[in-house]
Amino acid sequence: MMNTFCLITTTYPDEQSAKTIIHLLLEQKLAACVQMMPVQSFYRWEGKLCESNEQLLLIKTRSSLFKTIEALILKHHPYTTPQLIQIPIEQGFEAYLNWIADETALR
C-alpha cells in the first residue's frame, strides 16, 4: 500500500472558507478526513515580510485523487497562490488506511 495514500496540506484565511472546501471534499468522497487547526503563518510575499492567522487543513486521501483535489481547491480558494502540498504516507495503521480507502472514491 506504499504511496497509495497521502496527506494534502493547504491553508485558508478563515474558518468559513476552510469549512466550505472541507464539506465539498467529504461530499464528493475526495477525502476520508480533514482536520482543521488555527496556525500563525510567517512568509515573504511580493517582497514583503508578512504574518497572518490562517486555518491549516490536513486532508487524508488517496494519492490518485491529488489532481482532482487540486482542481477543486484552486477553483474555490480565495488566494491566487494557495499552499497545496502532497505528502506521501509511507506507512500507517492498516485499519486506518483501509478506512481511508473505503471512504474515498476510486478514480
Side-chain angles (χ1 to χ4, degrees):
M1 279 203 266
M2 191 180 343
N3 293 331
T4 301
F5 303 102
C6 68
L7 180 70
I8 297 173
T9 69
T10 190
T11 56
Y12 278 80
D14 58 74
E15 197 173 309
Q16 183 177 339
S17 62
K19 284 184 176 179
T20 297
I21 198 68
I22 289 169
H23 291 289
L24 288 170
L25 290 167
L26 294 172
E27 288 167 3
Q28 295 180 32
K29 295 191 70 140
L30 295 174
C33 173
V34 182
Q35 294 168 310
M36 177 175 67
M37 62 199 78
V39 295
Q40 230 179 339
S41 297
F42 301 85
Y43 51 95
R44 184 184 308 274
W45 184 252
E46 296 178 344
K48 296 177 186 169
L49 294 179
C50 301
E51 178 180 332
S52 59
N53 293 318
E54 297 181 297
Q55 295 294 322
L56 173 66
L57 301 188
L58 303 177
I59 304 163
K60 277 70 120 291
T61 189
R62 293 174 184 267
S63 300
S64 62
L65 295 174
F66 179 78
K67 286 297 184 187
T68 304
I69 292 168
E70 178 184 52
L72 185 69
I73 287 174
L74 292 176
K75 180 179 178 184
H76 295 280
H77 209 291
Y79 295 164
T80 55
T81 308
Q83 170 188 311
L84 195 51
I85 299 169
Q86 179 186 31
I87 304 164
I89 296 174
E90 295 295 329
Q91 292 185 6
F93 178 50
E94 187 175 353
Y96 187 79
L97 298 179
N98 289 338
W99 174 74
I100 293 175
D102 291 343
E103 292 300 317
T104 53
L106 281 173
R107 294 185 189 211

